[in-house]
Amino acid sequence: MAEFRAFNYGANAVCFQKNGRKYGMICSWATQVDYDKIVMLIGAQSVTGKNISKGDIIGVSVLSTQQENVVNILGNNHSDEVDKFLNINYTLNNSAILINSASVNMVIEVIDVLHLPGIEEDSLVYGLIKSFTKSDKPMLTIR
């Protein structure tokens, strides 16, 4: 299937700490679906995605245009192979990892992890926005 490029996508860092390990990935397919809810489609190959469970508190950082290096760091390798956070400035908010200098930082409580027909192997993460902060930095988009 050819790449679908009708939309510009944000570069969203999905990051958290669980059982003594830090997990992080880039999720382009994320959107707000209510005033205080988001959904994110996370591929089956993601170690980070495989470790997200209902009830978890995770961080979602909408990266800024100055954070392409963070996209490359979090987008390469798997969280169980390398420490992706070694060269990233972040803040830990309970178990949520928030990337410093992002356009938006959100603390999300995972309401459910769904596996829908046609994308059964992937995870549709449905979350409640517990808190957020916005900066004046422009959002990074991916084409």
Side-chain angles (χ1 to χ4, degrees):
M1 183 171 143
E3 289 186 52
F4 184 71
R5 295 181 183 254
F7 296 97
N8 287 339
Y9 301 97
N12 307 291
V14 177
C15 306
F16 60 97
Q17 186 170 285
K18 187 174 186 179
N19 299 324
R21 180 178 295 274
K22 293 182 187 94
Y23 295 95
M25 63 169 288
I26 296 299
C27 176
S28 294
W29 296 331
T31 192
Q32 189 172 349
V33 293
D34 199 350
Y35 294 106
D36 62 349
K37 310 273 185 339
I38 68 168
V39 293
M40 298 172 285
L41 182 62
I42 299 179
Q45 79 288 353
S46 170
V47 169
T48 299
K50 289 177 185 174
N51 283 281
I52 295 175
S53 304
K54 184 177 180 177
D56 285 349
I57 303 295
I58 64 174
V60 176
S61 300
V62 180
L63 300 179
S64 72
T65 55
Q66 300 165 358
Q67 295 181 305
E68 287 187 38
N69 64 320
V70 176
V71 173
N72 294 329
I73 292 168
L74 292 178
N76 292 325
N77 300 307
H78 291 287
S79 294
D80 59 352
E81 296 172 353
V82 298
D83 180 357
K84 293 185 176 189
F85 297 92
L86 194 59
N87 296 309
I88 294 177
N89 293 321
Y90 66 90
T91 300
L92 188 60
N93 183 329
N94 294 314
S95 60
I97 297 174
L98 304 171
I99 307 301
N100 296 343
S101 299
S103 293
V104 178
N105 273 310
M106 296 174 275
V107 175
I108 305 295
E109 179 182 353
V110 177
I111 296 170
D112 209 347
V113 179
L114 307 164
H115 299 277
L116 303 177
I119 56 168
E120 294 91 352
E121 67 279 356
D122 298 327
S123 298
L124 189 66
V125 177
Y126 179 48
L128 172 68
I129 302 169
K130 303 285 283 181
S131 65
F132 73 95
T133 57
K134 286 182 78 170
S135 75
D136 59 353
K137 296 177 177 25
M139 185 175 88
L140 176 63
T141 56
I142 301 170
R143 291 183 166 238

